[in-house]
Amino acid sequence: MKRQSELSFSLSQMERAVEILDEMLLAGTCPNEHRYTTIMHGYASLGDTGKAFEYFSKLKNEGLEFDVSTYEALLKACCKAGRMQSALAVIKEMSAQKIPRNTFVYNILIDGWARRGDVWEAADLMQQMKQEGVQPDIHTYTSFINACCKAGDVLRATKTMEEMELVRVKPNVKTYTTLIHGWARASLPEKALRCFEQMKSAGLKPDKAVYHCLMTSLLSRACVVEEYIYSGILHICKIGLCSWDGDDEAADSMCRSCFFFMIGCVIVSRSSPMPL
């Protein structure tokens, strides 16, 4: 079962939730801290810091108790909106209230800094986690790898993968995809392909995002004519090797057949075989 901080809500769902909350108040039923916190998490998932803090104020003004989950909602709202200084202010208040930071709090913060590509802040949080005895999980490591890749420090991202193996945290599809994107951004398709092979060896199934990333990376290093590659991909789609429905635009969608055709183009274009 997902924690509240991991849930996502649509705007229509939030509007309905607020309507129910208002109906409760009109009926003379006072919402408890759990209901307010749920509303806060809903607005946090939308990145609406104003509403998240508004309901936090209501919770406090009514004298209700709040816990780490309440602060998780505020942090999620701040980080999703890119307001990292506000997130730090929330952390300061948590310390004043003597509410300890757990793995979920650190995950939200590390992900927030990762979105900005600030690997130094993310690394500092990783260090704080270890000092406080808080165990990083798969989400922690994946967010940190994302921060490394966005900062162009793919070697640190690779070392983080090695650390995961040591502490027996298995990378998932998102972890590998993040690292593949990192190698692709660094214009090192060979490294991206090696990571891709490791992903498959681990029994994980790549999705379209992975194939799209690899094809884009390979294109950046290919020495063959771009029109030739495009016509080849279009041909693969038209002869039915992927889900092409007759629309030329739909034929641009990535599939396994197109991907392996691309690898063939790049290998042919090189004087030596591509190392995998």
Side-chain angles (χ1 to χ4, degrees):
M1 184 177 179
K2 288 187 176 182
R3 287 175 62 89
Q4 285 180 310
S5 58
E6 298 175 304
L7 297 175
S8 295
F9 299 83
S10 66
L11 182 58
S12 60
Q13 286 176 319
M14 288 310 305
E15 289 173 348
R16 180 55 185 151
V18 171
E19 286 177 5
I20 293 172
L21 196 68
D22 291 340
E23 289 174 7
M24 289 178 63
L25 291 170
L26 288 173
T29 302
C30 295
N32 57 23
E33 57 270 17
H34 175 73
R35 287 187 172 85
Y36 275 121
T37 300
T38 301
I39 294 291
M40 288 172 61
H41 276 287
Y43 281 118
S45 69
L46 298 175
D48 192 332
T49 54
K51 286 292 185 181
F53 276 94
E54 177 186 328
Y55 280 92
F56 179 63
S57 296
K58 289 182 179 181
L59 188 153
K60 288 203 298 184
N61 292 338
E62 293 184 18
L64 298 173
E65 294 183 359
F66 43 89
D67 56 14
V68 66
S69 180
T70 312
Y71 284 107
E72 285 174 14
L74 293 178
L75 290 170
K76 184 177 178 181
C78 293
C79 292
K80 190 156 188 177
R83 295 176 55 179
M84 298 309 297
Q85 294 305 314
S86 296
L88 293 177
V90 173
I91 289 296
K92 188 175 181 179
E93 182 173 336
M94 283 182 68
S95 298
Q97 296 290 336
K98 296 184 178 180
I99 295 178
R101 287 176 278 184
N102 58 21
T103 302
F104 300 98
V105 168
Y106 275 109
N107 286 353
I108 293 167
L109 289 170
I110 291 172
D111 182 65
W113 288 115
R115 290 170 185 265
R116 296 165 64 100
D118 195 327
V119 68
W120 300 109
E121 290 287 353
D124 185 55
L125 286 167
M126 290 286 287
Q127 188 63 31
Q128 287 180 37
M129 283 187 81
K130 294 170 184 176
Q131 290 174 351
E132 294 178 13
V134 180
Q135 182 63 43
D137 61 12
I138 181 61
H139 303 292
T140 319
Y141 283 113
T142 301
S143 291
F144 183 65
I145 288 171
N146 185 34
C148 295
C149 291
K150 282 193 173 182
D153 194 349
V154 195
L155 290 178
R156 179 181 280 195
T158 303
K159 289 181 180 178
T160 302
M161 288 280 278
E162 294 171 358
E163 180 184 327
M164 291 175 67
E165 292 182 14
L166 291 174
V167 297
R168 297 184 179 181
V169 176
K170 291 185 178 181
N172 58 19
V173 172
K174 187 175 181 180
T175 312
Y176 278 109
T177 302
T178 302
L179 188 54
I180 288 170
H181 274 276
W183 287 121
R185 287 195 197 100
S187 298
L188 291 169
E190 296 90 347
K191 296 283 189 180
L193 282 167
R194 188 176 294 118
C195 187
F196 172 74
E197 291 300 327
Q198 291 171 351
M199 180 182 186
K200 292 195 298 181
S201 297
L204 298 172
K205 185 178 180 180
D207 56 17
K208 287 185 178 181
V210 175
Y211 289 114
H212 181 279
C213 175
L214 286 171
M215 289 179 71
T216 303
S217 179
L218 289 167
L219 264 174
S220 69
R221 294 283 295 273
C223 299
V224 293
V225 180
E226 186 175 342
E227 287 77 9
Y228 171 69
I229 295 176
Y230 175 79
S231 63
I233 292 174
L234 192 63
H235 175 69
I236 288 172
C237 293
K238 285 185 175 180
I239 63 176
L241 293 181
C242 75
S243 54
W244 184 68
D245 60 3
D247 183 359
D248 282 358
E249 291 185 4
D252 289 330
S253 64
M254 303 305 171
C255 63
R256 287 177 61 87
S257 302
C258 300
F259 169 68
F260 287 111
F261 172 79
M262 179 66 70
I263 291 180
C265 289
V266 177
I267 291 175
V268 169
S269 72
R270 293 182 171 209
S271 58
S272 59
M274 179 180 294
L276 293 176

